[in-house]
Coordinates of all heavy atoms in Angstrom, one line a residue:
A59 N 3.4 5.9 -5.6 CA 3.4 5.9 -7.1 C 2.2 6.7 -7.7 O 2.3 7.4 -8.6 CB 3.5 4.5 -7.6
G104 N -3.2 9.5 -15.4 CA -4.5 9.8 -16.1 C -5.4 10.6 -15.3 O -6.1 11.5 -15.8
P202 N -32.4 31.8 1.2 CA -31.3 30.8 1.4 C -31.9 29.4 1.5 O -33.0 29.2 2.0 CB -30.6 31.2 2.6 CG -30.9 32.6 2.9 CD -32.3 32.8 2.3
A222 N -16.8 39.4 20.5 CA -15.5 39.6 19.8 C -14.8 38.3 19.4 O -13.9 38.3 18.5 CB -14.6 40.4 20.6
P303 N -8.3 18.1 4.6 CA -7.9 17.5 5.9 C -9.0 16.8 6.6 O -8.8 15.7 7.1 CB -7.3 18.7 6.7 CG -7.0 19.7 5.7 CD -8.0 19.6 4.6
V411 N -1.5 21.9 27.3 CA -2.5 22.8 27.8 C -3.5 23.1 26.7 O -4.7 23.1 27.0 CB -1.9 24.2 28.2 CG1 -2.9 25.1 28.8 CG2 -0.8 23.9 29.3
Q453 N -4.9 33.3 25.4 CA -3.7 33.7 26.2 C -2.6 32.7 26.0 O -1.4 33.1 26.0 CB -4.1 33.9 27.6 CG -5.0 35.1 27.9 CD -4.4 36.4 27.4 OE1 -3.2 36.7 27.7 NE2 -5.1 37.1 26.6

Side-chain angles (χ1 to χ4, degrees):
V411 181
Q453 289 304 310

